[in-house]
Every structure is written in structure tokens, then in C-alpha cells.
Amino acid sequence: MSSPASIPPTQSLATARDRLIVALDFPTAPAALDLVARLEGRALWFKVGLELYLATGPSIIEILRARGFHVFVDLKLHDIPNTVAGAVRSLASFGASLLTVHAAGGRPMLLAAAEAAARNPDGPELLAVTVLTSMDAQQLAETGVPNTPASQVMRLAKLAHAAGVSGMVCSPQECAHLRAYLGPYRLLVVPAIRPAGSPADDQSRTATPAHALHDGASLLVVGRPITRAPNPAAVVDSILAEMEHSLPV
Ligand code: C5P
């Protein structure tokens, strides 16, 4: 499938830089901000996950915002509906653009999260995490799910979409199907991106930046291929060049 021109409500996706999110999986703010400084002028988006958020609290979101970056807060909320709705409300005012909940939390939880997010139109857009990109069919089966990752991703995406959470996180291997289901205007945020030759690490369902964009990804999330590189800026430049060639015309 050729890549449609996805138009999210809040951000431009016109250039490769608009579509690359660097995952700041670091244990301290200084370590994260050192990488941010090294990528100044290249990266526009940073992702704050559990490791960094638990070390710094919400101040890291405000610091990144004050420096002009877009922030994806990837806390993958997964709890009872009342608790998740409260967490969405608590996170709404810090200036993040994107926030994740687990679709596996179920319909009432997704409805509560969507309702809490809708009450604050200036708050982050909610994304539903479908099946973790580290999981393969065997790991899924061990949790009691007999489906392939692809069919489970689609099942959870339909559940989340029906509950009002229309942006999704999936692996690059499910992008084409999910894009066909969601149409061109919904956000599809895609981790497990590996430039050719990069190790997969703990990820199971990987693909290259070009593959993910071709299949309809809106935004690509890249962590270790950049953060563990001797020259992170050079890796970002090379990923951006690959992405530039794969953007829809
Ligand atoms: O280092 P790597 O590129 O594998 O990092 C991927 C990032 O995307 C990590 O921060 C991880 O938490 C996040 N993520 C993921 N799979 C999901 C959702 C988020 O790998 N399904």
C-alpha cells in the first residue's frame, strides 16, 4: 500500500523531522538532556517513557516543552477505568502532545480514558498501545492469547477505536493493515524501527524506517539505534535521509 498523507489534528507531518520521535530511555534527566543537546537542530520530538518519567517526574516534560520540542509521554497506562481516567487528567496539564494507554485494559477503561482526555482539548492526544512490539506469537500464547500478533493488533485497534481512542501504536509489520482500517487521518505511531543492519535488541516485530513510512506510519519511534550509537547525530541524519526518500509526494 502506498503511504497516505496522514493529517493529525495537532502536528504537521510534512517533513521527515516532523515524523521522527527519539525515545529518551535514560535513568536521569542530565543523561537525557545530554542527548537532547547533541540532537539540537535535528530532532523535533522526544519520547519520555517509564524509566525517565519515574526518575524525574513531570518536570522533564516541561523542560522539553520549554526548549520547543514536542513530547510523547509513553506511560502505557493500564489499570481500572477510574484510575486511568485520573492519571489522564493528572498528565493533561504538563504540555505533552501524545500519551499512551494499553488497549488491553478493555472497553470501559478506554472509554474512561477517552472521556478524560476529551475534557481537556489542550491536553495530549491519546494513543492505544495494541500488542507490545517485543512480543511474538509464542509470547502472546503464553499470556493466554492464541491469536497471531497481527490479528490481536487488529482486534485491539477496533476495540480502542470504538471506545474513542483513535490513534494507535503498533509495530511496522501491522502498519499497512491498520492504516487501511483507520483511513488516512488517524495517528499511527510506530516503534521497533531498525535501520538496516541495526540489532533488533528485545524487539520482535521490526522493520526499517522506509518500510514503516511506506506502509502508512505517521510517526516513527527510534531509541537504541540512536541512543547507543557512538555518534547519535549521524544516525539521526541517516534515518532522516531514508525517511525523506519515503515520504508521500
Ligand atoms: O530502543 P528501541 O528503539 O527499541 O525503543 C523503542 C521505544 O518504543 C521504547 O521506549 C519502548 O518503550 C517503546 N515502545 C515499544 N513498543 C510498543 C510501545 C512503545 O517499543 N508497543
Side-chain angles (χ1 to χ4, degrees):
M1 158 185 178
S2 66
S3 180
S6 322
I7 305 167
T10 50
Q11 313 292 343
S12 162
L13 295 180
T15 70
R17 289 200 317 156
D18 293 321
R19 290 169 168 247
L20 177 65
I21 305 176
V22 178
L24 294 175
D25 291 321
F26 290 103
T28 65
L33 294 174
D34 178 60
L35 182 79
V36 170
R38 293 172 78 177
L39 300 183
E40 188 87 50
R42 291 175 164 86
L44 299 178
W45 277 91
F46 290 99
K47 184 172 88 71
V48 175
L50 272 173
E51 182 183 10
L52 184 59
Y53 188 84
L54 292 175
T56 64
S59 63
I60 189 70
I61 305 171
E62 294 168 318
I63 291 169
L64 291 168
R65 284 298 298 142
R67 295 186 186 184
F69 298 110
H70 303 304
V71 183
F72 172 15
V73 183
D74 185 22
L75 299 185
K76 299 188 183 68
L77 303 173
H78 192 171
D79 208 313
I80 62 171
N82 182 60
T83 302
V84 167
V88 170
R89 284 195 296 274
S90 290
L91 284 160
S93 60
F94 299 122
S97 298
L98 299 171
L99 170 66
T100 43
V101 297
H102 261 294
R107 186 188 304 271
M109 190 209 88
L110 292 163
L111 283 166
E115 191 190 323
R119 284 191 190 181
N120 190 338
D122 297 328
E125 179 168 349
L126 272 191
L127 301 171
V129 175
T130 54
V131 176
L132 290 172
T133 49
S134 57
M135 298 187 81
D136 57 17
Q138 186 187 336
Q139 290 177 47
L140 213 47
E142 284 168 2
T143 68
V145 177
N147 303 333
T148 62
S151 66
Q152 185 66 4
V153 164
M154 187 53 78
R155 186 185 189 104
L156 290 171
K158 287 179 176 171
L159 184 69
H161 193 247
V165 184
S166 54
M168 305 288 161
V169 179
C170 67
S171 97
Q173 298 184 11
E174 298 94 36
C175 262
H177 277 119
L178 224 46
R179 177 56 74 204
Y181 169 69
L182 291 172
Y185 301 114
R186 300 300 180 188
L187 269 189
L188 210 44
V189 177
V190 180
I193 299 297
R194 289 294 180 272
S198 289
D201 305 304
D202 55 355
Q203 299 284 16
S204 291
R205 310 193 319 277
T206 63
T208 61
H211 179 124
L213 284 181
H214 177 267
D215 279 2
S218 313
L219 290 152
L220 309 186
V221 177
V222 187
R224 286 162 290 184
I226 295 169
T227 59
R228 294 198 178 164
N231 185 345
V235 177
V236 167
D237 286 345
S238 143
I239 291 173
L240 288 174
E242 178 176 341
M243 291 173 69
E244 210 65 65
H245 282 109
S246 309
L247 288 178
V249 281

